[in-house]
Amino acid sequence: MYLLGIETSCDETAAAVVEDGPRMLSNVISSQFDIHAKYGGVVPELASREHLRAIVPVVREALERAGVGYRDLDAVGVTYGPGLIGSLLVGLTYAKGLAVSLGVPLIGVNHIEGHIHAVVLEQRSRGGEVEFPALALVVSGGHSHLFLAERAERGAYRYKLIGRTRDDAAGESFDKVAKLLGFGYPGGPLIDKLAPYGDPQAVKLPSSRMKGNRLDMSFSGLKTAVLRFVRAADLDAEIAERKKFLGGPRLTVEQARASASATTLNLLAAFQHRVIEELLRRAVDAARQEDAASIVVSGGVAANSGLRGRFAALPYPVYFPTPALSTDNAAMIAAAAYPRFLRGAFDGTDLAAQPSLSLA
Ligand code: KG4
Ligand code: ZN
């Protein structure tokens, strides 16, 4: 069977065709990076306008690359939340129209469940299986959540919320720190590449201790500590110099590195180290507490090489998506829709976009 996945919750217009669950035939992503970069973050109105422009050609390309026609599709899976309302509406409305016109079922997918299923999909495509119950750490620009993911009856999955950020998401903290230091948006990929050139021990940054649920997370204190350090270390001239590049072509890693003092590189290394340790400690404690059989790390921040190295060394089977399926994509949405297709859990055309949809 052929399932078309559609994802438009934030700033990527994405479509993918998946065959019989684990076989990814195509995965097309149109990024709006250049449109939002000059504003230092995603501008919602521009995002929905761009989705509107891109949705038809992106779906067409996904079908072409898969060698599949509209008439071959057996179902359409689409993100209906969480995300930006205007962005969600474009994908959802298009998916509804397509499903009705083809006479195939519509399956609404939670974006966060999609991130988890990116890993399930890839593990299966390698002939393996994620061991459940799995502790799932979803870390992106919008989310930092710890779930226990379990198999339920009739091929369904069940999720229990174990911990979540009380303020910024992990990816958001990467983006804010990068912006603060004049490195532009998004911050994660560049900090990832620059961190190895600094000494993480050279700058002391605070760890967070949570009252109530100790498996919750907080990243806003870390961001404030970085801001204080920047003021005290007198990095303003260097930052102003870098900001001149914003709005122009993206800084290459070499340019960014050349523009950064040893103090800045140390700060970036310490910041990344701190974020990783915060996530690692929660994930390990949660896996122990819930008696998890494996750990799944997904979402944009899962692309971080420092994080991957630290998690891979844990005494658990640890699964990450490949970098292509770490950030937003539609293959993960098709993958999450597949078990719902098998048990006939379809949605009607009254399915509404839910910007604050939660998974558990
Ligand atoms: O999952 P995603 O594409 O979109 C959301 O659902 O938010 O995640 C994007 C986030 C951004 O905050 C970006 O800075 C972060 O993931 N990110 C990274 C890396 N690549 C992307 N953070 C750290 N290291 C990376 N290599
Ligand atoms: Zn995402």
Side-chain angles (χ1 to χ4, degrees), residues 70-129:
Y70 287 99
R71 290 276 153 212
D72 300 320
L73 294 175
D74 295 288
V76 179
V78 61
T79 306
Y80 73 107
L84 300 168
I85 182 70
S87 293
L88 288 167
L89 276 173
V90 176
L92 180 57
T93 309
Y94 177 80
K96 282 181 189 175
L98 189 62
V100 170
S101 69
L102 297 176
V104 300
L106 174 79
I107 301 170
V109 174
N110 181 313
H111 179 84
I112 303 176
E113 182 173 25
H115 274 301
I116 297 172
H117 277 266
V119 180
V120 176
L121 169 91
E122 291 195 306
Q123 193 52 19
R124 273 195 198 146
S125 70
R126 296 184 193 112
E129 268 302 325

Side-chain angles (χ1 to χ4, degrees), residues 130-135 148-149 287 290-296 315-319:
V130 169
E131 295 92 336
F132 288 92
L135 196 281
L148 187 71
E290 301 297 325
D291 220 356
S294 68
I295 297 178
V296 165
Y316 281 92
V318 180
Y319 302 102

Side-chain angles (χ1 to χ4, degrees), residues 64-242:
E64 270 167 19
R65 284 199 202 169
V68 165
Y70 287 99
R71 290 276 153 212
D72 300 320
L73 294 175
D74 295 288
V76 179
V78 61
T79 306
Y80 73 107
L84 300 168
I85 182 70
S87 293
L88 288 167
L89 276 173
V90 176
L92 180 57
T93 309
Y94 177 80
K96 282 181 189 175
L98 189 62
V100 170
S101 69
L102 297 176
V104 300
L106 174 79
I107 301 170
V109 174
N110 181 313
H111 179 84
I112 303 176
E113 182 173 25
H115 274 301
I116 297 172
H117 277 266
V119 180
V120 176
L121 169 91
E122 291 195 306
Q123 193 52 19
R124 273 195 198 146
S125 70
R126 296 184 193 112
E129 268 302 325
V130 169
E131 295 92 336
F132 288 92
L135 196 281
L137 172 66
V138 183
V139 269
S140 71
H143 326 282
S144 293
H145 288 86
L146 277 166
F147 296 102
L148 187 71
E150 293 174 287
R151 308 289 311 247
E153 55 295 331
R154 296 178 60 226
Y157 292 83
R158 200 173 30 230
Y159 304 94
K160 183 165 96 171
L161 181 66
I162 308 297
R164 61 178 301 167
T165 181
R166 302 236 181 113
D167 40 59
D168 295 346
E172 192 180 356
S173 75
F174 271 94
D175 296 336
K176 285 182 174 170
V177 164
K179 189 174 179 181
L180 183 76
L181 287 163
F183 285 111
Y185 172 87
L190 195 57
I191 294 180
D192 188 3
K193 301 246 169 48
L194 295 179
Y197 296 107
D199 172 8
Q201 306 305 330
V203 179
K204 287 272 161 295
L205 293 172
S207 60
S208 67
R209 215 170 269 284
M210 309 308 292
K211 293 209 179 88
N213 183 1
R214 65 191 171 79
L215 295 177
D216 276 352
M217 301 158 240
S218 164
F219 296 100
S220 74
L222 185 55
K223 177 194 63 196
T224 309
V226 169
L227 179 63
R228 249 189 250 121
F229 181 90
V230 167
R231 291 211 177 114
D234 199 15
L235 296 172
D236 293 348
E238 175 189 332
I239 294 169
E241 201 51 43
R242 257 193 306 272

Side-chain angles (χ1 to χ4, degrees), residues 7 9-10 82 111-112 115 138-143 299-300 326-329 332:
E7 152 66 37
S9 68
C10 190
H111 179 84
I112 303 176
H115 274 301
V138 183
V139 269
S140 71
H143 326 282
S326 295
T327 49
D328 290 349
N329 66 85
M332 69 184 198

